[in-house]
Amino acid sequence: MAKPLNRPARAALALAGFGAALALWQLGVTSLEKETPIAASFAPLEAFRALFQLLQGDYIWRDIGLSLRRVAYGLAAAVAIGVPLGVLVGSSRRVAAALMPLFQLLRMVSPLSWMPLAVMTLGVGDAPVYFLLAFAAVWPILLNTATGVARLDPNWLLLARSLSATPTETVLRVVLPGITADILTGVRLAIGIIWIVLVPAEMLGVSAGLGYFILDARDRLAYNELMAAIVLIGLLGFALDWLARWAHARWLHTR
């Protein structure tokens, strides 16, 4: 069995991977420049120069703030819906038999396919974006919560009943503390999905946000800013995933 890598070795390999990706990025742009001169605007140096200039202004920070707020609202709605449903499904075989086939069917429907209906029913603005993000994020939270409930030690529940705990007390003091790690796993998966859905969701019906910024940069032919926005989206998504992994590891360490 291979020995685990120490932190300096992991950091060096990560830097090597990023370096290789940048080299391939530049190579691809160079190979396109001869036939498509505008491809030079997509080069790494142009993208990072544009990103540095954007971060010195106010507009991109407004777009970042709006996008993160939409992520927070969508994730909060997904947790508020997914955790109770997951507890219900995981606690009752009859409920699971009745609802899980429906949930599995809905889970396989792309959230973006709901975009026309969301705009028709909720109008333009943030409301349809919140709906799409919550719809995308609810399934990993629900399924991981249900899995955690099903894996709980039955003796814990028997002990709660023997102490005359009410169903509410059992859920709050036994079930939820016992499945927090599963809920955090679902939240981490949900963040990855919600961040991917965010950009196309913001391309419809809103006038600010990172998704809107990409459309605006395309319309202005500011391709270096478009690439800068793509890099920024990747960096922010990486940071959100790191925070989710940190919270999950912290919980497991403190249990």
Side-chain angles (χ1 to χ4, degrees):
M1 186 175 179
K3 294 182 179 180
L5 296 173
N6 55 32
R7 185 173 298 179
R10 291 199 304 268
L13 289 173
L15 289 175
F18 281 113
L22 287 173
L24 290 173
W25 179 1
Q26 181 60 56
L27 181 63
V29 170
T30 302
S31 64
L32 292 174
E33 277 185 287
K34 296 179 181 179
E35 297 183 359
T36 312
I38 200 173
S41 300
F42 294 90
L45 184 60
E46 291 294 323
F48 284 105
R49 184 183 292 122
L51 178 60
F52 179 75
Q53 293 174 349
L54 286 172
L55 292 177
Q56 291 181 317
D58 296 330
Y59 290 106
I60 194 65
W61 290 107
R62 179 200 62 176
D63 290 330
I64 292 172
L66 287 172
S67 292
L68 291 178
R69 187 186 71 181
R70 289 166 183 150
V71 166
Y73 285 3
L75 186 62
V79 170
I81 297 170
V83 171
L85 280 178
V87 171
L88 182 62
V89 169
S91 302
S92 172
R93 292 182 180 179
R94 291 186 177 182
V95 174
L99 295 182
M100 282 303 292
L102 174 63
F103 291 158
Q104 292 291 355
L105 185 149
L106 291 174
R107 183 175 69 91
M108 299 308 295
V109 178
S110 169
L112 300 180
S113 64
W114 295 96
M115 290 177 71
L117 291 175
V119 172
M120 287 173 57
T121 56
L122 301 174
V124 296
D126 285 340
V129 177
Y130 294 152
F131 167 78
L132 294 174
L133 297 183
F135 183 88
V138 71
W139 308 116
I141 296 173
L142 189 158
L143 295 177
N144 276 276
T145 300
T147 301
V149 174
R151 283 205 308 252
L152 275 177
D153 189 344
N155 291 324
W156 293 8
L157 303 178
L158 290 174
L159 179 60
R161 292 193 192 109
S162 68
L163 295 175
S164 301
T166 65
T168 301
E169 289 174 336
T170 301
V171 170
L172 294 179
R173 300 188 180 184
V174 178
V175 175
L176 289 181
I179 63 170
T180 301
D182 298 279
I183 294 174
L184 289 175
T185 299
V187 169
R188 181 193 170 191
L189 295 173
I191 288 174
I193 296 172
I194 212 171
W195 192 249
I196 292 172
V197 174
L198 172 71
V199 173
E202 287 185 331
M203 291 181 177
L204 181 67
V206 296
S207 58
L210 293 173
Y212 175 83
F213 182 88
I214 288 180
L215 282 183
D216 183 62
R218 181 203 64 182
D219 294 339
R220 292 185 288 109
L221 304 181
Y223 297 121
N224 57 340
E225 293 186 8
L226 189 153
M227 287 304 300
I230 292 174
V231 171
L232 179 60
I233 289 169
L235 292 174
L236 290 172
F238 181 87
L240 289 174
D241 181 69
W242 182 88
L243 286 173
R245 285 188 286 115
W246 176 85
H248 185 263
R250 179 89 177 199
W251 171 258
L252 292 178
H253 181 70
T254 55
R255 288 188 64 179

